[in-house]
Amino acid sequence: MSALFQPFTLRDVTIPNRVWMPPMCQYSAAPEGPSTGAPNDWHFAHYAARSAGGTGLIIVEATAVSPKGRISPYDLGIWNDTQVEAFRRITRFFKSQGTVAAIQLAHAGRKASTDQPWKGGAPVGPEAYGWQPLGPSPLPFDVGHPAPTELSVAEIREIVGQFTDAARRALDAGFEIAEIHGAHGYLVNEFLSPHSNHRTDAYGGSYENRTRLALEVVDAVREVWPEDKPLFFRISATDWLEEDGWTADDTVRFAAQLKEHGVDLLNVSTGGNASGVRIPVGPGYQVPFAARVKAETPLPVAAVGLITDVEQAEKILANNEADAVLLGRELLRNPSFARLAARELGAEVHVPDQYHRSV
């Protein structure tokens, strides 16, 4: 049997195959008004197409736990009930197609308040729906970015509570899996890395202190997330810095701790926290980081990073380098990748009745 089309069970949730969609921001929500941060027709059509295409698990894009936690004014959020109701339309459709619905809970930290990427992605101010970013230390992400306001301990605790409330709302919206965004230079990642965290209190300095916020968020979400439902954590396995950054060794050490705190799978990516670094991008370039976590810890992993063809995806799983593969760009290009892969590998995958002619 094809490794790509074996079901995968975590806690009481069974995912029908190992073709998964990672979070990819659409920057298409309303920036103001009663529907601020709520998914709209674009989001429904975008996600529904990949669900109908046979994708086993879809992780809905980085969804902010508060207005200031958005990457851009056009990001999704899950801090109010209007947003919850809009998400239900998407999760209902996923369920009808056999796709497991996951959501990434996020806070953008110092990389918040930027424009849509196709407009340049530069920081924006109040005149363009922007706000003052927050961070562990007053260190701007890059030239031209504002220095974030350093969070007080009380504000850190407030953000932990926002993750808790967001998890409750995600459950109410019909999601079966929650993922905490600890990657790509956003808030949780900023606390983890000594490159962006220069604090001298209980949330900075030592490895134990820098991981404190992440573990507090995990514990807070796990407390309200049902015992029978999985919790994921997305991590940047390395900052790609030669010194004073988060490393692959840190990731292996942290993965074992995440398992102890109730995380069920590590979604392994890299980079995003340091500007101007050289990243050796190529097919499957991040897979070795996932493979190392899988080999050295008891935590299941998902691999991502220029996984674009069926043979490559199948080989990653067959070689036991990961438990699942996440296809980003390829699923943007081809919403029915899973159906086409099943045909190539002689496997079975859900096909909507309306598409029976394509079998």
Side-chain angles (χ1 to χ4, degrees):
M1 180 180 181
S2 161
L4 204 55
F5 288 93
Q6 290 183 19
F8 187 54
T9 299
L10 291 167
R11 297 192 185 244
D12 289 351
V13 175
T14 297
I15 303 163
N17 60 53
R18 315 293 179 101
V19 180
W20 297 0
M21 181 176 173
M24 290 180 284
C25 289
Q26 297 299 293
Y27 305 101
S28 297
E32 64 175 351
S35 59
T36 299
N40 53 37
D41 287 348
W42 170 263
H43 298 94
F44 179 81
H46 168 68
Y47 289 114
R50 279 83 195 163
S51 179
T55 308
L57 171 77
I58 293 177
I59 309 176
V60 168
E61 65 200 78
T63 303
V65 300
S66 71
K68 289 187 176 181
R70 293 172 293 171
I71 301 168
S72 82
Y74 305 92
D75 280 18
L76 295 181
I78 193 159
W79 65 78
N80 66 42
D81 293 340
T82 298
Q83 296 158 346
V84 169
E85 183 57 38
F87 274 119
R88 286 184 184 135
R89 181 187 180 200
I90 293 172
T91 59
R92 282 195 300 267
F93 187 83
F94 283 3
K95 189 171 184 179
S96 75
Q97 301 303 306
T99 299
V100 173
I103 185 171
Q104 185 182 73
L105 305 177
H107 193 297
R110 68 176 181 168
K111 294 176 75 174
S113 190
T114 57
D115 207 349
Q116 293 160 309
W118 51 87
K119 294 180 180 177
V124 295
E127 74 285 351
Y129 311 112
W131 59 92
Q132 170 63 21
L134 308 170
S137 303
L139 304 169
F141 169 67
D142 200 357
V143 175
H145 284 243
T149 299
E150 182 173 307
L151 289 161
S152 68
V153 171
E155 289 169 327
I156 290 171
R157 290 172 179 161
E158 181 181 356
I159 288 173
V160 173
Q162 290 168 350
F163 272 93
T164 305
D165 292 342
R168 288 194 184 98
R169 287 194 167 94
L171 183 65
D172 191 28
F175 288 99
E176 297 185 73
I177 296 174
E179 176 175 273
I180 295 166
H181 197 352
H184 301 159
Y186 300 119
L187 187 69
V188 174
N189 188 188
E190 291 165 20
F191 271 86
L192 291 174
S193 174
H195 174 73
S196 46
N197 184 348
H198 291 189
R199 298 176 74 96
T200 57
D201 63 2
Y203 288 92
S206 68
Y207 168 90
E208 287 77 14
N209 285 354
R210 287 184 284 107
T211 57
R212 190 179 307 278
L213 171 66
L215 293 177
E216 286 182 353
V217 170
V218 167
D219 289 345
V221 171
R222 187 74 267 181
E223 186 174 347
V224 299
W225 198 247
E227 188 67 24
D228 61 347
K229 295 186 184 300
L231 177 63
F232 291 3
F233 190 99
R234 192 170 209 192
I235 197 163
S236 282
T238 176
D239 285 337
W240 295 105
L241 292 169
E242 293 183 2
E243 56 183 20
D244 297 328
W246 183 262
T247 69
D249 289 343
D250 292 327
T251 295
V252 171
R253 179 182 179 183
F254 192 50
Q257 290 178 269
L258 289 172
K259 177 71 173 176
E260 294 172 356
H261 283 256
V263 169
D264 300 288
L265 180 138
L266 192 65
N267 179 351
V268 183
S269 187
T270 65
N273 191 44
S275 63
V277 297
R278 298 185 65 179
I279 300 175
V281 175
Y285 71 103
Q286 295 175 144
V287 174
F289 296 96
R292 183 177 170 193
V293 172
K294 184 168 175 57
E296 298 182 26
T297 80
L299 192 61
V301 298
V304 67
L306 292 183
I307 301 170
T308 59
D309 66 69
V310 176
E311 182 180 359
Q312 177 194 21
E314 179 76 7
K315 185 177 179 180
I316 290 167
L317 299 180
N319 290 347
N320 205 32
E321 296 175 285
D323 298 282
V325 290
L326 292 143
L327 296 96
R329 294 171 178 85
E330 190 58 30
L331 275 171
L332 293 182
R333 290 186 286 262
N334 182 2
S336 297
F337 177 92
R339 288 216 314 273
L340 296 175
R343 180 184 293 176
E344 183 174 327
L345 295 170
E348 293 185 2
V349 70
H350 170 77
V351 178
D353 293 338
Q354 295 89 337
Y355 291 171
H356 70 277
R357 301 174 189 84
S358 70
V359 177

